[in-house]
C-alpha cells in the first residue's frame, strides 16, 4: 500500500522546503521529494555558493585598498582551491542543517524524481527504487534552468553556465560573459576580483537593465574601474571553439578570444514533462500558470517559485511558498504585490531596489518627486572608504507616499529590507531618528530629500 500524506511537495529549493515546513507547522503530514540535492539551486549552485565566492573576492579587493586606510599588507593573492573548499564547506554545512531542520519538522524526505501519475498520486523514481505515494494536496516547486542561446552550445568546459562557473578548478586567464544582468555581473566581480580578464557583453543598452538607467551607467563605470570590459548594446553573432579557446564575434565585427565563455542571459521556469503529463496543467510558455493563491488550474495542485516565472528570486519563492502552504492546509491567503519583493545584486558595489523604479513611475504617468543622497557625503561611509553610489527615493506627490527606493553602494543589499518597511510611509517618516554616523543615514536623507526636507543636500534652486 502506498503511504499517504496531507501534502506532497515536489522540489526542495527555497520554494519547496519553505512550503514543506509551513505545511508541517500547520500540522499537516508532509512528503518532500527531491531528485538532486536538498536546498535546490539557491543552496547548491545559486545564491549561497555565489555569495561565498563573492565574499572571498571582496576580501582580496579590500586588502588591496588597505594601504590607503593606513594598513600596510605585504601582498594579497587569491588561493582559489581554498576559496572553492570554503564555498563547498558552506554549502554542505547548510545542506546538512536544512536536512536536519526538515526532519525535526517531521517532514519525510524522499529522494527521487516526483511524477504525478493522477491527481493525488505520485510516483517517486530513483536509480534504484520506485515508490508510490498519495497526497491530498501537491505543491510543485521544480525551479528553473539557464536559458540557452540557439547557436551557442553549452559544453560545460569552455562554454559554461553559472553552475560550472561556480565550480571551476582553476582561475581562468580570460572569461567572456554573455549577459550583463544579475548573475552575469556577480560572476564578473568574482572572476575579475581574482585576476581573470573579464568582458561582459550585454545586448541591451545598459548593465542591470531591469533597474533605472542611472544604475546601469554607474555600474558600468564601477565595473570598468575593476578592470572589467563592459560592452553594451551589442549581440554576440557567433562563437567558434578552437584548441580549448572560444572566439566570440560581435555585431560590430569585433572578436574576442577567451578561455571561458559564460552564457548568463537569464533563467526559464522548468517542470519536467513526465512529472505533469497525467494532469493537464495550464502553462504560460514554460511557466506553470497560477492565480494569486498559487493554485494551478488543477484543483489540489499548487505551484511556486521559479517554476511559476514571477520573481526568479529565492525570497520570492519563500513568499509564494507561505501562501501555497497556507492554502493547501485549509487557510486562505493571497500573494501580495510583487513589486514589494526587494531585488538585490551582490556586485562591487551592490545594487538593491524595492517598489516602483523611477522609470516605471514615469511610464505610469505618476507625478513624482525623486530625492537622493550620496554615500560620499556620509560620515560612516567615508570612514570605511566605501564612498561609491547613492540612494534614490521616489515619492508619489498625489498620495504623498514613498513608492520606490533604489540603491547602489556598499552593503545596500542589507539596507533594502529597511527600505521595504519605509515604503508607503508619508512625511511623518522624516521625524524618525537614525543613529549617527551610520550608512543608513543615506537612506533617511534620500527620503527626506524626496519631501524637500534633507538637511545635508544643498538647496535645489
Ligand atoms: C548563480 C545564481 C545565483 C543566484 N543568486 C540569488 C540570490 O543571491 N538571491 C536570490 O534571491 N536568488 C538568487 N538566485 C535565484 C534562486 O536560486 C532561485 O530563485 C531559487 O533557487 C528558486 O527556488 P525554487 O524553489 O523555485 O527552485 P530551485 O531552487 O531551482 O529548486 C528546485 C528543485 O526542484 C528539484 N526538482 C525539479 N523537478 C523535480 C522532480 N520532478 N522531482 C523531484 N525534484 C525535482 C530540483 O532538483 C531542484 O532541487 C540565484 C540563482 C543562480 C543560478
Amino acid at each position: 500500500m502506498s503511504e499517504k500524506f496531507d501534502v506532497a511537495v515536489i522540489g526542495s529549493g527555497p520554494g519547496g522546503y519553505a512550503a514543506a515546513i509551513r505545511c508541517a507547522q500547520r500540522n499537516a503530514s508532509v512528503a518532500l521529494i527531491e531528485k538532486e540535492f536538498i536546498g535546490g539551486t539557491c543552496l547548491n549552485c545559486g545564491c549561497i555558493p555565489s555569495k561565498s565566492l563573492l565574499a572571498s573576492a571582496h576580501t582580496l579587493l579590500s586588502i588591496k585598498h588597505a594601504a590607503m586606510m593606513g594598513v600596510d599588507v605585504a601582498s594579497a593573492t587569491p588561493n582559489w582551491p581554498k576559496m572553492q573548499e570554503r564555498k563547498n564547506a558552506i554549502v554542505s554545512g547548510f545542506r546538512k542543517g536544512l536536512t536536519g531542520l526538515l526532519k525535526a519538522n517531521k517532514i519525510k524526505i524522499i529522494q527521487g524524481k516526483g511524477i504525478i501519475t493522477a491527481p493525488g498520486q505520485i510516483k517517486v523514481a530513483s536509480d534504484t527504487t520506485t515508490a508510490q505515494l498519495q497526497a491530498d494536496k501537491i505543491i510543485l516547486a521544480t525551479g528553473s534552468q539557464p536559458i540557452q542561446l540557439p547557436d551557442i552550445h553549452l559544453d560545460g568546459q569552455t562554454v559554461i553556465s553559472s553552475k560550472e562557473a561556480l565550480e571551476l578548478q582553476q582561475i581562468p586567464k580570460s572569461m567572456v560573459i554573455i549577459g550583463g544582468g544579475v548573475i552575469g555581473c556577480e560572476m564578473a566581480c568574482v572572476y575579475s576580483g581574482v585576476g581573470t580578464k573579464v568582458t561582459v557583453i550585454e545586448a541591451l543598452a545598459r548593465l542591470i537593465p531591469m533597474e533605472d538607467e542611472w544604475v546601469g551607467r554607474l555600474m558600468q563605470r564601477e565595473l570598468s574601474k575593476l578592470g572589467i570590459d563592459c560592452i553594451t548594446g551589442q549581440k554576440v553573432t557567433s562563437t567558434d571553439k578552437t584548441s580549448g579557446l572560444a572566439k566570440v564575434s560581435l555585431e560590430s565585427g569585433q572578436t574576442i578570444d577567451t578561455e571561458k565563455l559564460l552564457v548568463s542571459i537569464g533563467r526559464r521556469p522548468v517542470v519536467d514533462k513526465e512529472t505533469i503529463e497525467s494532469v493537464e496543467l495550464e502553462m504560460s510558455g514554460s511557466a506553470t500558470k497560477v492565480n494569486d493563491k498559487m493554485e494551478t488550474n488543477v484543483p489540489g495542485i499548487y505551484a511556486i517559485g521559479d517554476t511559476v516565472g514571477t520573481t526568479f528570486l529565492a525570497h520570492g519563492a519563500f513568499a509564494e511558498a507561505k501562501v501555497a502552504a497556507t492554502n493547501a492546509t485549509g487557510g486562505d491567503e493571497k500573494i501580495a504585490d510583487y513589486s514589494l519583493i526587494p531585488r538585490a545584486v551582490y556586485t562591487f558595489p551592490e545594487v538593491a531596489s524595492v517598489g516602483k523604479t523611477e522609470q516605471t513611475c514615469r511610464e505610469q504617468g505618476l507625478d513624482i518627486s525623486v530625492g537622493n543622497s550620496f554615500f560620499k557625503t556620509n560620515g560612516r561611509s567615508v570612514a570605511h572608504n566605501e564612498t561609491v553610489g547613492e540612494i534614490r527615493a521616489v515619492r508619489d506627490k498625489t498620495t504623498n507616499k514613498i513608492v520606490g527606493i533604489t540603491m547602489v553602494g556598499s552593503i545596500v543589499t542589507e539596507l533594502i529590507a529597511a527600505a521595504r518597511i519605509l515604503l508607503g510611509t508619508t512625511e511623518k517618516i522624516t521625524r524618525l531618528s537614525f543613529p549617527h554616523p551610520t550608512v543608513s543615514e543615506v537612506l533617511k536623507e534620500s527620503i527626506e530629500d524626496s519631501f524637500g526636507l534633507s538637511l545635508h543636500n544643498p538647496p535645489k534652486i
Side-chain angles (χ1 to χ4, degrees), residues 29 59 71 102 114 131 186 188 206 250 253 257 272 276 285 309 329 392 403 419:
S29 58
T59 304
V71 179
L102 291 164
E186 288 187 358
R206 59 177 192 267
L250 306 184
D257 289 321
D272 201 299
I276 52 163
T329 51
R392 293 194 187 183
V403 292

Side-chain angles (χ1 to χ4, degrees), residues 11 14-15 34-35 40-42 46-47 51 114 142-143 275 305-306 312-315:
E34 173 55 57
K35 68 180 165 83
T41 303
C42 179
C47 326
K51 267 79 253 178
T142 52
T275 295
D306 282 8
F312 292 100
L313 290 167
H315 49 288

Side-chain angles (χ1 to χ4, degrees), residues 176-400:
V176 167
I177 301 177
I178 305 180
V182 177
I183 296 174
C185 286
E186 288 187 358
M187 286 299 138
C189 288
V190 168
Y191 280 100
S192 77
V194 296
T196 301
K197 176 66 211 153
V198 177
T199 307
V200 177
I201 302 165
E202 169 56 53
L204 296 176
R206 59 177 192 267
L207 300 180
I208 320 281
M210 66 288 186
E211 297 297 346
D212 278 328
E213 197 265 336
W214 68 271
V215 174
R217 217 176 341 107
L218 182 49
M219 287 309 291
Q220 183 150 351
R221 190 186 76 198
E222 291 306 316
L223 295 196
S224 301
K225 281 190 204 161
L226 294 175
I228 299 168
D229 283 339
C230 303
I231 303 173
T232 52
Q234 279 289 317
K235 281 190 183 148
V236 171
T237 50
S238 67
T239 58
D240 186 21
K241 272 191 299 170
T242 40
S243 59
L245 287 182
K247 185 187 274 301
V248 181
S249 305
L250 306 184
E251 279 172 325
S252 61
Q254 185 185 350
T255 58
I256 307 164
D257 289 321
T258 183
E259 195 179 322
K260 297 287 174 194
L261 174 60
L262 166 58
V263 180
S264 176
I265 55 164
R267 296 181 66 85
R268 79 164 90 248
V270 66
V271 55
D272 201 299
K273 253 193 188 151
E274 198 188 0
T275 295
I276 52 163
E277 72 188 349
S278 72
V279 281
E280 287 182 9
L281 272 193
E282 203 180 325
M283 307 295 284
S284 171
S286 57
T288 308
K289 213 169 165 183
V290 286
N291 61 18
D292 55 7
K293 293 181 171 186
M294 310 317 295
E295 294 166 331
T296 67
N297 62 310
V298 180
I301 302 186
Y302 301 77
I304 55 173
D306 282 8
T307 190
V308 299
T310 45
T311 67
F312 292 100
L313 290 167
H315 49 288
F318 287 147
E320 291 168 343
K322 290 176 196 161
V323 171
T326 302
N327 294 332
T329 51
D332 185 14
E333 245 185 55
K334 287 183 180 168
I335 192 82
D337 180 354
Y338 277 110
S339 79
L340 300 181
I341 292 178
R343 306 167 289 273
V345 192
Y346 299 78
T347 34
F348 314 148
E350 298 179 349
V351 179
S353 65
V354 67
K356 291 179 182 171
T357 62
E358 199 178 322
Q359 190 180 330
T360 307
C361 290
R362 297 206 190 282
E363 281 162 9
Q364 292 178 350
L366 298 185
D367 185 13
I368 56 171
S369 161
V370 181
N372 73 337
S373 182
F374 294 95
F375 289 101
K376 67 183 176 199
T377 64
N378 174 268
R380 187 89 192 277
S381 304
V382 173
H384 281 262
N385 189 33
E386 297 284 6
T387 53
V388 169
E390 65 177 287
I391 298 183
R392 293 194 187 183
V394 185
R395 174 172 63 95
D396 181 339
K397 285 179 148 165
T398 312
T399 60
N400 208 27

